[in-house]
Structure formats: structure tokens, C-alpha cells
Amino acid sequence: MLSSSGTQWAAPYEEVRKKLQIRSKQVAPELQEQANQRFRTYMALFRGIGLLYEENGTLQSTELGESLLLLLNEQYQRIDDFGQQVYLTYRTQLAQMVAPALARYQLASPLTRDTYPSGTDIRPLLAIWRIMRKLDNKLHWEELGRCVTTCLRESDIEPAIEKITQARRQAGYNPNNAEMMEQILGPRRPDAGANQSDRLDTWFSRAAFKNLFLEYRDRPDGYRYLEQEFIPLLDEIIETSPAPDHFTDRGQYVRWLGTTSYKASLIQADSDIKLKNLIVDKCRRYGGRQIVALVGPAGTGKTRVAQNVAMTLAEGDATRILTVQFHAAFTYEEFVGGLAPSNGGFEPSPGALVQINDAALASPDKTHVLIVDELSRADVANVLGELLTYIEYRNRPFLVPGLDKRVSIAPNLIIIATMNPTDRSVVNMDDALVRRLRQIEIPRSRDALGVILHEAGMANDLRGHVIQWFDGLPEDAPFGHGLFVGMRDERDLHDLWHESLRYFLRRGGITTYPNPEKIENGYVWRHAKYGWAPSGAEEEA
């Protein structure tokens, strides 16, 4: 529907149907009217949450709608199931984007056909969140229909909370018992029609934004529960949401409803999206014959990126992903397979590669992913062995002696590795290995650093100084933005230097990074006046 912005909005909505690639066909008039009504129902929903509105017979998207469409086009162009991908990878971004608009939604507005008494100022979705937070993060539809739907003013919310609280304290309280609820909480309001549950579920669905802020309706006690991960966000929204306003013009109200302040996060998300999509594309193009290696210094998020890419390739199925971390003592037997100790003897034991490869061979129509974290920390030539050839030529089986088994690398298995270019073993990699690596740089990110420091609560001025210093780092600086997670103040920055950053430059009295002064200069928080340093630590004057 968002992609239909600018098209004519008039029954039978032919322009919209063409945009949505819905084939038109001749049907009975009553069936055509049903189809038209479905369009109007969806339109009412999208308009009510501030995404679309009609102006002069034409569909128009709000600022929020345009931002959401951009996000969807960038992130889910290769994904068929939008809801699943939102849930798996971008729930937080989506929640931060839409929660303020849902909180602003007003019961009395130019969109409603109902007449409400003067002074009606309730924001129903915000009220549902607020009430659930006060009631153990849960609410039953009977409680909603008998107590909450009677609230027309913000001042009605606390009495409703108190009424439900007292009811829950009664012995044998069971909200699934309609007769008991009639006695304790009173009649349903504003009406008690047979479809009351469905009507109230509509309010729950709006407050949930499908299944984002509220759990699915599958609890045996009949309650709807807030999603725990978004409770801090909802608490912030409850505290900071602007007061209700009065509107007479529908377009003006919907534009206000769909205003978003999420631009800065969208820019950061856009860069993340492009990087992830680039790597996904490289994996699909080259992963059938090469290892896709994500290369960058410590703290640039290589592992996180690899996991996000793997989830996209595996369509959100974590059972089709296996992660193994290399280290100096890692062996061919652990990675591929061989004899392993068992009950005083030895028996064949498949390694990580053979395990995920067998799963991939069993499901040839589904992509499987092996993530090799810290590839450069192991003796790669010995760990991979003859695999270098068979990763490239997958139709050639090879013998794994310790398993007494011939193995062919599955064409639907993609291997993603992470590497630190400063590891000594990277320099020692031979040409045969380098030829079979598709290396993609994962750079440091000032935008990501800004988000990290903001989320940690660092003051704006200090955050600006840190980012300015970060911008001046040389291109080969041996660490990235991820090391600054949790840094709130100057004391934290002081401790970070003496307990972490300086060891990337010098270790055991030996300078390991050329020209460390290029990094030290400007990092004033390393000085003693900003904190405490352990005995013997350098305290530059």
C-alpha cells in the first residue's frame, strides 16, 4: 500500500491494484464490493497508525510511511516474508520507529466517525501500554472491555488500574469467567455485542503492532503480555510522549501522527543495510566456490555482521547455521573430522565442517552457513588441509581418513570467516589460500561509535570530542568502535585506555604498532587527572 502513494484512491481502486500486482477480473457486484471494502479496511488501519492518508482523491504517504517504505525496500528486497525478517533482524529499529506514532494516536480525532464528549483526550494505545506496565505487564480482553474502554480522559486511567488491581486480589479471580467479570468489573463498554472479543482484540493488535510490542495470543490464561525486550522503550515513550492536541483537518492530523524523528538512526541503519546486503550478495555469487572473509581490526563488529548475514542466507533458521571459533591449537580433526578419545579408546568423530555439510546435503534446496570466527588465529594450512581444493571444486569427493568416509562439499553450504589483518598468520598465508578467499573489509564506523556512546548515556559535548578524536585515527588503527561499548564518562575513557587500548600499541615494553603517537595524541583522557590507573601504568603528563 505504501508503494501506491500518488495513485488515485477511488473504487474499484484499479491503480492501486496495478501497483500491488493484483490481477483484475470480472466478478459479481457483491463480490466486487467485498473486495473494495477490504481495501478500505486496510486503508483505515494504515491511516490510523500514521502511514497513509487521502488528499484530493489521491493516496499520500506520510514522512513515517516514506521512511518505513525505504527501510523495507532496502532490507527485505530478497525476503518473501516481511514479518519474519522484521522479527529476526530489525525488530528494534522498527519498534523505535513506530512506537512514538502509536503513542500519539488519539481516540477523538478527525478520522473517527464517532462523537465523543468534550474533553476526551485519551490516547488508547499509549493507555494500554501504561495500564499493562502497572498490572504486571499483562491485560485480559475482559479487563480491557469492562474497565479500559470506559476511559475517555487521561485522568480515567489510574482509577481503571486501581479497579483491575483490586479485582485481581479477590479469591478465585478468573477473567475467563464472563459471569464473574460481570459481577466484579461490571458490564462491557460501550456495548456487549457477540463480537466483543474480536473488537477488543483489534485494540490489542494495534497496541501490539502485529506481534512487536505484545506477545502472540497463545497463553492459556487468556492474557496478552508485553514483550520484555521493549519494556524500556515503552517506559521511555510513556514518560516523553507529547500531550494530545486538537485537529480538525484529517490530513494535518495524519501528517502529525506520522511525523518521525528517526532520521539519524535511519542513516546509520542504511549504511548497515548496504554493507549487509553487499555481503549477502557476495556470498550468493561466490560462496559456492570461495570462503567469504570479513576482514577488519578488533571491535569493528565482524562477528555480528557475519551472524546477521548468515541469518539472512538461512532465512532465519538458526538450525542451518553453525559457528566455530579458531584458535592457535585448533586442529584438522576438530574442523573436518578424525579419531577422538572415547571410553578409553578412539572412535571416528565428525568435525564442525562435516556436521553442517551433512545437514546441507540432506536439504539441497536450503542454504546452510558455516561461520569460522577468527580464521587467522589458527594454523590455517594445517586446519583446512586439502579442503582448499574441494571448497572450490565441490563436485570432487575427498577422503577423510579418520572417518573412513568420502565427503563432497555441498553446493548449498556457504563458509563465512572473520579475520583480523594484524594477526601474524595473515602475513604467512600462502597464495593458494588467498586465492580462495573473497575478502571484504569491515571498516570502523563513526556513526556506530556515536550510537554506542549515546546509548551508554555519554554527554553530548564529551561524545563529540571522542568522535572527533576517532575521526582522526590513521586508517590502519588496530581497533574499532566496538571497544567503546558502555563508555559513559571521562573515568570510563581513562580506564579503557589503561586496561585495553594501549595494549594494541605496546605490549611487554615492545612497540607493536608503528607510530603509536598518532593514536595517543588527542586521547587526553589517558592522563591521571581523568581517573585512576593501576600501579606501574603509564601516566603521561
Side-chain angles (χ1 to χ4, degrees):
M1 288 290 283
L2 287 172
S3 67
S4 302
S5 180
T7 60
Q8 183 181 9
W9 179 251
Y13 311 109
E14 288 299 330
E15 290 191 20
V16 178
R17 291 176 186 277
K18 290 179 182 178
K19 279 283 188 179
L20 299 180
Q21 298 180 351
I22 297 175
R23 182 170 58 88
S24 297
K25 57 183 179 180
Q26 292 295 115
V27 296
E30 61 270 22
L31 296 179
Q32 182 63 60
E33 179 53 28
Q34 290 179 14
N36 294 343
Q37 183 57 44
R38 281 196 293 271
F39 270 103
R40 289 191 286 270
T41 299
Y42 278 116
M43 179 61 183
L45 170 62
F46 298 148
R47 181 174 56 214
I49 56 178
L51 298 179
L52 282 168
Y53 64 99
E54 176 200 358
E55 191 169 273
N56 299 324
T58 302
L59 277 184
Q60 300 291 339
S61 60
T62 65
E63 183 183 0
L64 172 64
E66 292 174 356
S67 297
L68 183 58
L69 181 61
L70 173 64
L71 183 68
L72 298 182
N73 285 339
E74 286 285 343
Q75 295 171 7
Y76 309 125
Q77 56 186 336
R78 300 181 180 93
I79 305 300
D80 294 330
D81 188 347
F82 155 67
Q84 180 191 48
Q85 289 306 309
V86 169
Y87 185 87
L88 291 172
T89 60
Y90 288 100
R91 281 171 60 86
T92 300
Q93 286 186 33
L94 189 61
Q96 292 172 342
M97 181 186 293
V98 302
L102 296 179
R104 287 193 293 266
Y105 175 79
Q106 299 178 177
L107 185 64
S109 77
L111 299 182
T112 183
R113 297 177 180 177
D114 298 318
T115 301
Y116 295 101
S118 177
T120 298
D121 64 354
I122 192 75
R123 291 163 289 177
L125 307 184
L126 182 67
I128 290 173
W129 296 340
R130 178 177 164 189
I131 289 169
M132 294 181 77
R133 285 294 289 129
K134 291 290 186 70
L135 295 172
D136 299 322
N137 300 322
K138 65 182 183 180
L139 189 66
H140 195 280
W141 73 267
E142 287 279 14
E143 297 170 337
L144 176 68
R146 298 178 189 275
C147 297
V148 181
T149 55
T150 64
C151 299
L152 297 180
R153 296 175 176 84
E154 300 279 321
S155 57
D156 296 333
I157 295 176
E158 286 300 329
I161 293 172
E162 180 61 23
K163 185 175 183 179
I164 298 172
T165 300
Q166 294 300 327
R168 289 183 181 180
R169 290 174 179 169
Q170 296 191 29
Y173 180 77
N174 179 11
N176 293 312
N177 186 326
E179 293 183 4
M180 178 184 293
M181 293 301 97
E182 188 80 16
Q183 294 176 359
I184 297 176
L185 298 179
R188 300 191 190 110
R189 304 285 179 83
D191 63 85
N195 65 341
Q196 184 76 198
S197 175
D198 290 341
R199 188 178 70 81
L200 295 172
D201 270 339
T202 299
W203 284 110
F204 272 134
S205 295
R206 291 181 179 183
F209 200 71
K210 191 179 179 182
N211 66 317
L212 193 65
F213 299 112
L214 274 63
E215 293 180 0
Y216 274 133
R217 296 170 292 175
D218 57 359
R219 293 261 192 146
D221 58 10
Y223 284 96
R224 295 296 300 273
Y225 287 76
L226 288 174
E227 283 284 2
Q228 292 292 320
E229 66 179 297
F230 293 128
I231 285 178
L233 172 63
L234 295 181
D235 285 344
E236 180 181 352
I237 296 295
I238 291 169
E239 291 295 325
T240 62
S241 186
D245 206 341
H246 178 70
F247 296 89
T248 57
D249 180 77
R250 289 159 62 101
Q252 182 186 16
Y253 169 68
V254 177
R255 283 191 292 270
W256 170 81
L257 192 64
T259 301
T260 178
S261 59
Y262 200 69
K263 295 177 182 177
S265 294
L266 273 177
I267 293 172
Q268 170 59 23
D270 186 57
S271 65
D272 284 348
I273 293 161
K274 289 179 178 178
L275 178 62
K276 191 197 84 168
N277 285 346
L278 168 69
I279 298 170
V280 168
D281 181 63
K282 297 294 185 184
C283 287
R284 287 174 173 155
R285 293 175 63 187
Y286 307 116
R289 60 181 184 275
Q290 290 178 295
I291 298 173
V292 178
L294 311 184
V295 183
T300 52
K302 301 183 295 296
T303 303
R304 176 183 58 83
V305 172
Q307 291 168 344
N308 288 340
V309 168
M311 286 296 282
T312 298
L313 293 170
E315 301 172 302
D317 186 352
T319 64
R320 288 152 54 188
I321 302 169
L322 181 63
T323 301
V324 60
Q325 187 173 62
F326 278 12
H327 51 78
F330 204 78
T331 65
Y332 175 91
E333 288 72 23
E334 291 176 281
F335 185 59
V336 182
L339 297 177
S342 177
N343 299 321
F346 292 88
E347 64 180 28
S349 176
L353 174 70
V354 170
Q355 292 176 38
I356 190 71
N357 190 66
D358 286 347
L361 290 170
S363 302
D365 59 333
K366 297 184 181 296
T367 299
H368 289 63
V369 184
L370 174 62
I371 299 175
V372 179
D373 202 17
E374 305 287 1
L375 174 74
S376 50
R377 292 186 58 198
D379 185 344
V380 180
N382 286 331
V383 172
L384 297 183
E386 72 279 14
L387 276 176
L388 290 178
T389 298
Y390 300 108
I391 285 173
E392 183 175 3
Y393 302 104
R394 302 202 172 193
N395 59 338
R396 300 181 185 177
F398 63 97
L399 178 67
V400 181
L403 301 180
D404 193 21
K405 174 181 179 179
R406 297 188 71 80
V407 174
S408 295
I409 303 299
N412 55 319
L413 174 62
I414 293 175
I415 302 176
I416 303 175
T418 68
M419 292 170 44
N420 189 328
T422 62
D423 287 342
R424 290 186 178 88
S425 57
V426 172
V427 179
N428 297 327
M429 286 182 178
D430 59 31
D431 291 344
L433 174 58
V434 172
R435 183 169 70 85
R436 290 173 174 90
L437 294 179
R438 178 68 58 163
Q439 301 188 47
I440 302 172
E441 182 183 2
I442 306 299
R444 295 189 307 275
S445 170
R446 76 182 308 272
D447 293 333
L449 176 63
V451 171
I452 287 171
L453 299 179
H454 174 75
E455 291 179 348
M458 181 174 286
N460 291 340
D461 289 347
L462 181 57
R463 185 166 73 246
H465 290 152
V466 175
I467 292 174
Q468 184 180 18
W469 167 82
F470 192 80
D471 282 340
L473 290 177
E475 291 186 4
D476 63 345
F479 53 79
H481 49 272
L483 296 180
F484 289 81
V485 170
M487 298 297 102
R488 299 178 302 275
D489 51 32
E490 292 172 333
R491 169 67 182 272
D492 288 338
L493 294 171
H494 176 273
D495 292 347
L496 178 67
W497 179 267
H498 288 281
E499 297 165 4
S500 179
L501 298 185
R502 71 193 190 107
Y503 293 105
F504 287 95
L505 311 179
R506 299 182 178 91
R507 298 179 197 174
I510 300 174
T511 299
T512 56
Y513 176 78
N515 300 318
E517 295 80 11
K518 290 184 178 181
I519 294 177
E520 294 169 339
N521 292 339
Y523 198 93
V524 297
W525 308 282
R526 71 185 192 277
H527 301 321
K529 66 178 181 179
Y530 290 103
W532 172 87
S535 177
E538 292 184 24
E539 285 291 357
E540 296 88 348

